[in-house]
Amino acid sequence: MMDEPWWEGRVASDVHCTLREKELKLPTFRAHSPLLKSRRFFVDILTLLSSHCQLCPAARHLAVYLLDHFMDRYNVTTSKQLYTVAVSCLLLASKFEDREDHVPKLEQINSTRILSSQNFTLTKKELLSTELLLLEAFSWNLCLPTPAHFLDYYLLASVSQKDHHCHTWPTSCPRKTKECLKEYAHYFLEVTLQDHIFYKFQPSVVAAACVGASRICLQLSPYWTRDLQRISSYSLEHLSTCIEILLVPLFR
Protein backbone atom coordinates (compact mmCIF):
# COMPACT_ATOMS: atom_id res chain seq x y z
CA MET A 1 0.00 0.00 0.00
CA MET A 2 1.08 3.55 -0.65
CA ASP A 3 1.74 5.79 2.35
CA GLU A 4 -0.16 8.60 0.66
CA PRO A 5 -3.80 8.03 -0.39
CA TRP A 6 -3.94 7.92 -4.18
CA TRP A 7 -6.56 10.68 -4.37
CA GLU A 8 -4.16 13.11 -2.68
CA GLY A 9 -1.18 12.30 -4.90
CA ARG A 10 0.13 13.92 -8.05
CA VAL A 11 -1.18 11.11 -10.23
CA ALA A 12 -4.71 11.19 -8.78
CA SER A 13 -6.28 12.15 -12.09
CA ASP A 14 -4.49 9.30 -13.88
CA VAL A 15 -5.53 6.77 -11.23
CA HIS A 16 -9.11 7.99 -11.50
CA CYS A 17 -9.06 7.54 -15.27
CA THR A 18 -7.69 4.01 -14.87
CA LEU A 19 -10.44 3.13 -12.38
CA ARG A 20 -13.05 4.52 -14.74
CA GLU A 21 -11.69 2.33 -17.53
CA LYS A 22 -11.69 -0.73 -15.29
CA GLU A 23 -15.27 -0.21 -14.13
CA LEU A 24 -16.45 -0.44 -17.74
CA LYS A 25 -15.19 -4.04 -17.80
CA LEU A 26 -17.00 -5.17 -14.64
CA PRO A 27 -19.42 -8.08 -15.20
CA THR A 28 -23.16 -7.52 -15.04
CA PHE A 29 -24.85 -8.46 -11.77
CA ARG A 30 -27.79 -10.69 -12.74
CA ALA A 31 -29.38 -11.20 -9.28
CA HIS A 32 -29.86 -14.89 -10.13
CA SER A 33 -28.73 -16.43 -6.85
CA PRO A 34 -31.36 -18.54 -5.06
CA LEU A 35 -29.81 -17.24 -1.84
CA LEU A 36 -30.43 -13.60 -2.74
CA LYS A 37 -33.00 -13.35 0.06
CA SER A 38 -30.17 -14.05 2.53
CA ARG A 39 -27.95 -11.35 1.03
CA ARG A 40 -28.83 -8.59 3.52
CA PHE A 41 -28.00 -10.86 6.46
CA PHE A 42 -24.54 -11.72 5.13
CA VAL A 43 -23.80 -8.13 4.11
CA ASP A 44 -24.58 -7.15 7.70
CA ILE A 45 -22.17 -9.84 8.91
CA LEU A 46 -19.39 -8.50 6.66
CA THR A 47 -20.10 -4.96 7.80
CA LEU A 48 -19.94 -5.93 11.47
CA LEU A 49 -16.78 -7.99 11.02
CA SER A 50 -15.05 -5.24 9.05
CA SER A 51 -15.98 -2.67 11.70
CA HIS A 52 -14.74 -5.01 14.43
CA CYS A 53 -11.41 -5.33 12.60
CA GLN A 54 -11.32 -1.62 11.65
CA LEU A 55 -11.04 -2.31 7.94
CA CYS A 56 -11.14 0.53 5.42
CA PRO A 57 -14.31 1.14 3.33
CA ALA A 58 -12.60 -0.09 0.15
CA ALA A 59 -11.95 -3.50 1.76
CA ARG A 60 -15.53 -3.75 3.03
CA HIS A 61 -17.04 -2.82 -0.32
CA LEU A 62 -14.75 -5.15 -2.24
CA ALA A 63 -15.71 -8.00 0.13
CA VAL A 64 -19.42 -7.42 -0.54
CA TYR A 65 -18.74 -7.19 -4.28
CA LEU A 66 -16.89 -10.54 -4.23
CA LEU A 67 -19.66 -12.18 -2.22
CA ASP A 68 -22.44 -10.86 -4.48
CA HIS A 69 -20.80 -11.89 -7.72
CA PHE A 70 -19.69 -15.27 -6.42
CA MET A 71 -23.26 -15.99 -5.26
CA ASP A 72 -24.50 -14.80 -8.65
CA ARG A 73 -22.39 -17.38 -10.49
CA TYR A 74 -22.23 -20.38 -8.16
CA ASN A 75 -24.73 -22.32 -6.13
CA VAL A 76 -23.81 -22.35 -2.43
CA THR A 77 -26.02 -24.89 -0.69
CA THR A 78 -25.47 -24.75 3.09
CA SER A 79 -25.36 -21.93 5.61
CA LYS A 80 -21.85 -22.88 6.75
CA GLN A 81 -20.60 -22.79 3.15
CA LEU A 82 -22.05 -19.33 2.74
CA TYR A 83 -20.50 -18.17 6.02
CA THR A 84 -17.16 -19.56 4.86
CA VAL A 85 -17.44 -17.81 1.48
CA ALA A 86 -18.45 -14.51 3.12
CA VAL A 87 -15.56 -14.54 5.58
CA SER A 88 -13.12 -15.58 2.85
CA CYS A 89 -14.31 -12.64 0.73
CA LEU A 90 -13.54 -10.33 3.65
CA LEU A 91 -10.10 -11.86 4.16
CA LEU A 92 -9.17 -11.55 0.49
CA ALA A 93 -10.46 -7.97 0.29
CA SER A 94 -8.60 -6.91 3.43
CA LYS A 95 -5.34 -8.44 2.17
CA PHE A 96 -5.76 -6.59 -1.11
CA GLU A 97 -6.99 -3.21 0.13
CA ASP A 98 -5.90 -2.71 3.74
CA ARG A 99 -2.83 -2.74 5.95
CA GLU A 100 -1.38 -6.10 6.87
CA ASP A 101 -1.97 -5.54 10.58
CA HIS A 102 -5.68 -4.97 9.89
CA VAL A 103 -6.23 -8.33 8.18
CA PRO A 104 -8.53 -10.33 10.49
CA LYS A 105 -6.99 -13.26 12.36
CA LEU A 106 -8.77 -16.61 12.55
CA GLU A 107 -9.07 -16.27 16.33
CA GLN A 108 -10.72 -12.87 15.91
CA ILE A 109 -13.23 -14.23 13.44
CA ASN A 110 -14.20 -17.30 15.45
CA SER A 111 -14.48 -15.31 18.68
CA THR A 112 -17.03 -12.88 17.28
CA ARG A 113 -20.55 -13.30 18.57
CA ILE A 114 -21.83 -13.57 15.00
CA LEU A 115 -20.11 -16.90 14.31
CA SER A 116 -20.20 -18.32 17.83
CA SER A 117 -23.99 -17.88 17.85
CA GLN A 118 -24.19 -20.24 14.86
CA ASN A 119 -22.47 -23.02 16.83
CA PHE A 120 -19.62 -23.61 14.41
CA THR A 121 -16.06 -22.47 13.91
CA LEU A 122 -14.08 -21.94 10.73
CA THR A 123 -10.74 -23.64 10.22
CA LYS A 124 -7.65 -22.27 8.53
CA LYS A 125 -7.81 -25.06 5.92
CA GLU A 126 -11.44 -24.22 5.04
CA LEU A 127 -10.68 -20.53 4.64
CA LEU A 128 -7.53 -21.04 2.57
CA SER A 129 -9.24 -23.46 0.18
CA THR A 130 -12.20 -21.08 -0.18
CA GLU A 131 -9.88 -18.12 -0.79
CA LEU A 132 -8.22 -20.12 -3.57
CA LEU A 133 -11.63 -20.98 -5.02
CA LEU A 134 -12.57 -17.27 -5.01
CA LEU A 135 -9.31 -16.24 -6.66
CA GLU A 136 -9.86 -18.78 -9.42
CA ALA A 137 -13.48 -17.63 -9.84
CA PHE A 138 -12.30 -14.05 -10.36
CA SER A 139 -9.33 -15.08 -12.53
CA TRP A 140 -6.94 -13.85 -9.83
CA ASN A 141 -8.03 -10.27 -10.48
CA LEU A 142 -9.13 -8.34 -7.40
CA CYS A 143 -8.61 -4.91 -8.93
CA LEU A 144 -12.37 -4.36 -9.08
CA PRO A 145 -13.51 -0.76 -8.59
CA THR A 146 -16.35 -0.13 -6.13
CA PRO A 147 -17.99 3.17 -5.09
CA ALA A 148 -15.60 3.28 -2.13
CA HIS A 149 -12.67 3.60 -4.53
CA PHE A 150 -14.06 6.82 -6.02
CA LEU A 151 -15.68 8.61 -3.08
CA ASP A 152 -12.66 10.25 -1.47
CA TYR A 153 -11.50 11.62 -4.82
CA TYR A 154 -14.86 13.28 -5.41
CA LEU A 155 -14.96 14.58 -1.84
CA LEU A 156 -11.93 16.74 -2.67
CA ALA A 157 -14.28 18.99 -4.67
CA SER A 158 -17.37 18.47 -2.49
CA VAL A 159 -17.40 21.93 -0.88
CA SER A 160 -16.56 25.32 -2.36
CA GLN A 161 -16.05 28.80 -0.94
CA LYS A 162 -18.88 29.88 -3.24
CA ASP A 163 -21.39 27.44 -1.75
CA HIS A 164 -24.51 28.83 -0.13
CA HIS A 165 -26.83 27.34 2.45
CA CYS A 166 -30.51 27.84 1.85
CA HIS A 167 -30.72 29.50 5.27
CA THR A 168 -27.23 30.94 5.69
CA TRP A 169 -25.65 33.07 2.96
CA PRO A 170 -22.83 32.37 2.42
CA THR A 171 -21.58 29.25 4.24
CA SER A 172 -19.72 30.53 7.28
CA CYS A 173 -17.17 27.72 7.70
CA PRO A 174 -16.32 25.58 4.63
CA ARG A 175 -14.05 23.31 6.72
CA LYS A 176 -16.86 22.32 9.09
CA THR A 177 -19.26 21.96 6.19
CA LYS A 178 -16.80 19.64 4.43
CA GLU A 179 -16.42 17.51 7.57
CA CYS A 180 -20.18 17.21 7.89
CA LEU A 181 -20.61 16.45 4.20
CA LYS A 182 -17.97 13.72 4.42
CA GLU A 183 -19.93 12.03 7.22
CA TYR A 184 -23.12 12.17 5.16
CA ALA A 185 -21.33 10.83 2.07
CA HIS A 186 -19.87 7.87 3.96
CA TYR A 187 -23.29 7.18 5.47
CA PHE A 188 -24.78 7.02 1.96
CA LEU A 189 -21.84 4.88 0.85
CA GLU A 190 -22.79 2.28 3.47
CA VAL A 191 -26.44 2.52 2.42
CA THR A 192 -25.41 1.35 -1.05
CA LEU A 193 -24.26 -1.98 0.41
CA GLN A 194 -27.74 -2.81 1.63
CA ASP A 195 -29.43 -3.20 -1.76
CA HIS A 196 -28.14 -4.83 -4.92
CA ILE A 197 -30.12 -2.26 -6.95
CA PHE A 198 -27.01 -0.07 -6.92
CA TYR A 199 -25.28 -2.52 -9.28
CA LYS A 200 -27.49 -0.94 -11.96
CA PHE A 201 -25.10 2.00 -11.88
CA GLN A 202 -21.38 2.23 -12.45
CA PRO A 203 -19.43 2.52 -9.17
CA SER A 204 -18.26 6.05 -10.02
CA VAL A 205 -21.88 7.12 -10.54
CA VAL A 206 -22.83 5.74 -7.11
CA ALA A 207 -19.91 7.54 -5.45
CA ALA A 208 -20.76 10.84 -7.13
CA ALA A 209 -24.42 10.37 -6.17
CA CYS A 210 -23.37 9.95 -2.52
CA VAL A 211 -21.75 13.39 -2.69
CA GLY A 212 -24.75 14.88 -4.49
CA ALA A 213 -27.22 13.44 -1.97
CA SER A 214 -25.07 14.83 0.85
CA ARG A 215 -25.10 18.33 -0.63
CA ILE A 216 -28.88 18.13 -0.94
CA CYS A 217 -29.21 17.06 2.71
CA LEU A 218 -27.02 19.97 3.79
CA GLN A 219 -29.05 22.31 1.56
CA LEU A 220 -25.96 23.51 -0.27
CA SER A 221 -26.59 25.53 -3.38
CA PRO A 222 -25.99 24.64 -6.14
CA TYR A 223 -26.57 20.94 -5.52
CA TRP A 224 -23.86 20.03 -8.04
CA THR A 225 -20.99 22.43 -8.76
CA ARG A 226 -18.82 22.95 -11.80
CA ASP A 227 -15.85 21.58 -9.86
CA LEU A 228 -17.74 18.37 -9.10
CA GLN A 229 -18.84 18.06 -12.71
CA ARG A 230 -15.26 18.61 -13.85
CA ILE A 231 -13.69 16.08 -11.47
CA SER A 232 -16.34 13.39 -12.01
CA SER A 233 -17.41 14.14 -15.62
CA TYR A 234 -21.02 13.72 -14.48
CA SER A 235 -23.85 16.23 -14.58
CA LEU A 236 -26.58 16.34 -11.94
CA GLU A 237 -29.03 14.94 -14.50
CA HIS A 238 -26.76 11.92 -14.98
CA LEU A 239 -26.84 11.22 -11.22
CA SER A 240 -30.47 12.08 -10.48
CA THR A 241 -31.91 8.54 -10.50
CA CYS A 242 -29.23 7.17 -8.17
CA ILE A 243 -29.55 10.19 -5.86
CA GLU A 244 -33.31 9.68 -5.64
CA ILE A 245 -32.83 6.04 -4.58
CA LEU A 246 -30.33 7.12 -1.90
CA LEU A 247 -32.69 9.75 -0.51
CA VAL A 248 -35.86 7.63 -0.44
CA PRO A 249 -35.22 6.15 3.07
CA LEU A 250 -34.81 9.65 4.52
CA PHE A 251 -38.24 10.78 3.36
CA ARG A 252 -40.34 7.73 4.20
Side-chain angles (χ1 to χ4, degrees):
M1 287 185 63
M2 295 182 295
D3 292 331
E4 180 184 53
W6 72 263
W7 56 88
E8 294 179 359
R10 289 181 295 177
V11 296
S13 179
D14 293 333
V15 174
H16 175 248
C17 287
T18 300
L19 289 171
R20 291 287 288 266
E21 290 172 4
K22 286 184 177 294
E23 73 176 352
L24 296 175
K25 301 174 184 176
L26 293 174
T28 301
F29 183 73
R30 301 170 301 168
H32 283 178
S33 172
L35 296 172
L36 199 60
K37 61 184 179 181
S38 302
R39 177 188 181 276
R40 181 73 176 268
F41 176 70
F42 283 95
V43 168
D44 286 344
I45 286 177
L46 289 180
T47 301
L48 289 169
L49 278 173
S50 64
S51 296
H52 179 70
C53 299
Q54 298 181 318
L55 298 181
C56 66
R60 178 162 57 254
H61 281 254
L62 178 58
V64 173
Y65 178 94
L66 295 174
L67 176 64
D68 279 335
H69 284 264
F70 187 83
M71 287 172 59
D72 209 35
R73 300 183 209 172
Y74 301 95
N75 187 22
V76 185
T77 55
T78 69
S79 59
K80 183 170 183 181
Q81 283 179 332
L82 196 49
Y83 272 102
T84 307
V85 169
V87 172
S88 297
C89 287
L90 189 67
L91 287 171
L92 274 181
S94 63
K95 290 172 183 176
F96 189 75
E97 294 287 354
D98 218 320
R99 288 168 24 194
E100 185 177 353
D101 58 335
H102 280 186
V103 176
K105 303 293 188 293
L106 182 60
E107 298 77 17
Q108 273 183 296
I109 294 168
N110 281 327
S111 65
T112 56
R113 191 177 302 175
I114 302 164
L115 290 188
S116 59
S117 65
Q118 302 300 315
N119 296 319
F120 61 72
T121 57
L122 300 175
T123 67
K124 186 174 182 179
K125 183 178 179 180
E126 286 173 324
L127 291 174
L128 286 174
S129 62
T130 307
E131 284 183 56
L132 182 59
L133 178 65
L134 286 164
L135 285 169
E136 291 174 346
F138 289 95
S139 303
W140 294 78
N141 174 30
L142 297 185
C143 190
L144 304 164
T146 70
H149 291 93
F150 293 95
L151 184 63
D152 287 301
Y153 182 61
Y154 296 157
L155 282 172
L156 293 176
S158 60
V159 173
S160 166
Q161 291 281 355
K162 298 178 182 178
D163 283 341
H164 290 79
H165 283 297
C166 287
H167 302 297
T168 306
W169 300 72
T171 304
S172 57
C173 183
R175 181 183 59 80
K176 289 184 178 179
T177 301
K178 194 165 188 175
E179 289 174 359
C180 190
L181 191 144
K182 183 178 180 179
E183 289 185 15
Y184 266 98
H186 277 277
Y187 160 76
F188 284 121
L189 184 67
E190 297 312 302
V191 167
T192 67
L193 290 178
Q194 300 303 317
D195 197 325
H196 61 80
I197 193 173
F198 290 99
Y199 285 123
K200 289 172 52 179
F201 309 99
Q202 290 178 352
S204 58
V205 170
V206 177
C210 288
V211 176
S214 301
R215 287 183 62 86
I216 290 171
C217 288
L218 291 178
Q219 297 185 312
L220 293 177
S221 177
Y223 289 152
W224 196 248
T225 66
R226 289 181 180 178
D227 285 343
L228 281 166
Q229 184 160 334
R230 175 186 54 78
I231 199 173
S232 69
S233 302
Y234 293 128
S235 65
L236 184 60
E237 290 73 24
H238 198 117
L239 306 173
S240 59
T241 302
C242 190
I243 289 175
E244 287 172 11
I245 296 172
L246 285 169
L247 292 176
V248 162
L250 298 182
F251 296 100
R252 281 177 180 165

